[in-house]
Amino acid sequence: MAPIALAFAVLDLTGSKTDLGLVLTATWVPQLLLVLFGGVFADRLPRHLVMVGSNLLSGAAQGVIAVLLLTHHAELWQLIVLQVVRGIAMAFFWPASQGLIPETVSAGLLQQANALLGMTKNGTNIFGAALGGVLVATAGPGWALAFDGATYLVSAVVLGAMRLKRAERLEAPSVLRELAEGWGEFASRTWLWVIVASAAVGNTVWMGASMVLGPIVAKQYLDGAASWGFIIASQGAGLLAGGLLLLRYRPRRLLLVGMGAFSVAALPLVLLASVRSTPVIAAGYFVAGVSLEIFGITWATALQQNVPLEKLSRVSAYDMLGSIVFVPLGLSLAGPVADAIGLTEALWLAAALGTASTLAALTVRDVRDLRRRDEAPVVEPAWEPAP
């Protein structure tokens, strides 16, 4: 519900594409500044407890936004500040979550574990996006964000109930030394930094075009929040379908398959630029959802099978930093670019740039040739149920 609710909260408040980009950018900037430190702390501390703290902070931020909207006291600067708080929490959550998965299962089951996690998330996204669109249209965005804040608190309780065997934790002379070790691990793998460089371009144009310009298309040419909710729900259905596929299909060349699927992810931007039909655009988002999930699962599996566990959170932090480094720029510029060259032209430009970055990565041999490594577990399963 949250992305739809936040987008239409800003549009209802100011009606400005540029203001929407600023609020969305506020979530990403602190991630850029802090995600590397989030990776260090996730490699030092119990990862599930880092995630608990992050969820509590995110829940508080979303809850305050909901109260401000419901009491009609919300101002643009308040939404920006609270999204900065949420971005801080996400900077610590994501590296910890990536390192937690191989602490629970062996290397041979990582793909299925990633697929199941994605299916759980995406299954709720289908219902949540559709309900969010209806709820925003009928009751307003404040109630959807209130629900979002509550789910963070529930998530914190679930993660807090995990019991992990005590494992040897990293101890290095300084944070800078640990960051340098993580960078060395990241830079030593060509396939890794090439994909991250490609994602830096693809994520920038996708986030700006889809998250900023997509709701504008829905508001101007479709049926507003309800249509946008259906479109996003269709993407969730595609993500779920991609997860189901990779429960059984185990490609040997993980990144060749992942990036090959990702090459069609720009289809929704083409449809947003050329079609004024909710069902057609939703179908494009479904196809993109399948491709995004195939890439996401194969990418996570490649990282978890090839990067040592004691450095995985730091490498994941570099992955995240490189992948989102220009996202705030894309979110901030999407509105002004659309004002300058036209909404349709801006969407076509984003689709072209995203597709070019994906095809460029596929020209690198290390990307095409990386094989799965099921035969050599990174770590023995360490999870045991809570008593």
Side-chain angles (χ1 to χ4, degrees):
M1 298 182 184
I4 298 168
L6 187 62
F8 283 90
V10 176
L11 293 175
D12 290 344
L13 193 62
T14 71
S16 168
K17 295 187 286 292
T18 301
D19 287 345
L20 175 56
L22 289 174
V23 172
L24 297 175
T25 299
T27 307
W28 293 93
V29 170
Q31 295 181 64
L32 290 175
L33 298 176
L34 297 175
V35 67
L36 295 182
F37 297 99
V40 169
F41 280 97
D43 278 339
R44 281 184 171 184
L45 304 173
R47 292 182 172 105
H48 68 299
L49 297 183
V50 174
M51 295 164 69
V52 167
S54 299
N55 272 335
L56 292 174
L57 188 59
S58 290
Q62 296 294 77
V64 173
I65 292 177
V67 171
L68 290 171
L69 291 172
L70 292 172
T71 59
H72 305 289
H73 288 98
E75 298 181 20
L76 181 65
W77 71 267
Q78 295 168 331
L79 301 186
I80 291 174
V81 169
L82 289 165
Q83 288 304 298
V84 167
V85 173
R86 185 163 169 260
I88 292 171
M90 293 171 67
F92 286 82
F93 182 93
W94 199 84
S97 68
Q98 291 300 102
L100 184 68
I101 300 168
E103 281 193 289
T104 67
V105 298
S106 62
L109 297 176
L110 282 173
Q111 180 179 310
Q112 289 93 328
N114 289 317
L116 285 170
L117 286 168
M119 288 169 60
T120 303
K121 176 183 68 177
N122 297 322
T124 58
N125 281 347
I126 299 170
F127 173 75
L131 180 59
V134 174
L135 188 59
V136 170
T138 56
W143 288 110
L145 289 167
F147 180 84
D148 183 51
T151 62
Y152 277 111
L153 303 182
V154 174
S155 177
V157 172
V158 172
L159 289 166
M162 291 187 72
R163 297 293 182 268
L164 295 172
K165 294 179 181 178
R166 293 184 64 88
E168 182 179 349
R169 287 292 176 184
L170 172 72
E171 293 193 13
S174 69
V175 170
L176 293 179
R177 173 69 178 275
E178 294 171 29
L179 289 174
E181 291 177 354
W183 172 254
E185 197 72 36
F186 175 87
S188 66
R189 292 169 167 80
T190 301
W191 58 267
L192 204 164
W193 60 259
V194 165
I195 294 294
V196 171
S198 173
V201 177
N203 288 340
T204 298
V205 297
W206 169 263
M207 297 296 287
S210 184
M211 293 188 67
V212 177
L213 303 184
I216 300 298
V217 171
K219 193 174 183 69
Q220 291 184 358
Y221 301 107
L222 305 176
D223 294 325
S227 291
W228 191 241
F230 176 71
I231 289 168
I232 297 301
S234 298
Q235 180 179 328
L239 292 165
L240 182 60
L244 283 169
L245 175 64
L246 287 190
L247 274 178
R248 299 298 299 272
Y249 174 49
R250 297 165 61 84
R252 288 193 57 79
R253 298 191 184 190
L254 289 166
L255 299 183
L256 178 62
V257 171
M259 290 301 286
F262 195 65
S263 64
V264 301
L267 176 62
L269 305 184
V270 172
L271 295 177
L272 284 171
S274 58
V275 179
R276 299 294 181 251
S277 166
T278 296
V280 174
I281 295 172
Y285 269 84
F286 176 86
V287 173
V290 174
S291 69
L292 288 168
E293 190 67 358
I294 291 173
F295 169 75
I297 292 171
T298 54
W299 175 244
T301 303
L303 281 178
Q304 293 158 3
Q305 289 190 345
N306 290 277
V307 176
L309 179 59
E310 67 274 10
K311 298 178 181 178
L312 181 56
S313 287
R314 282 170 289 165
V315 171
S316 296
Y318 279 107
D319 166 27
M320 181 177 181
L321 176 62
S323 298
I324 68 172
V325 64
F326 300 120
V327 165
L329 184 65
L331 292 170
S332 299
L333 291 181
V337 169
D339 288 336
I341 68 174
L343 181 60
T344 297
E345 290 76 8
L347 287 164
W348 278 111
L349 177 62
L353 291 173
T355 301
S357 69
T358 302
L359 297 178
L362 281 170
T363 65
V364 177
R365 183 173 180 177
D366 283 357
V367 171
R368 299 193 306 270
D369 288 351
L370 185 76
R371 262 65 168 188
R372 62 188 310 117
R373 298 178 57 192
D374 293 346
E375 73 284 352
V378 176
V379 64
E380 291 299 319
W383 182 78
E384 52 189 29

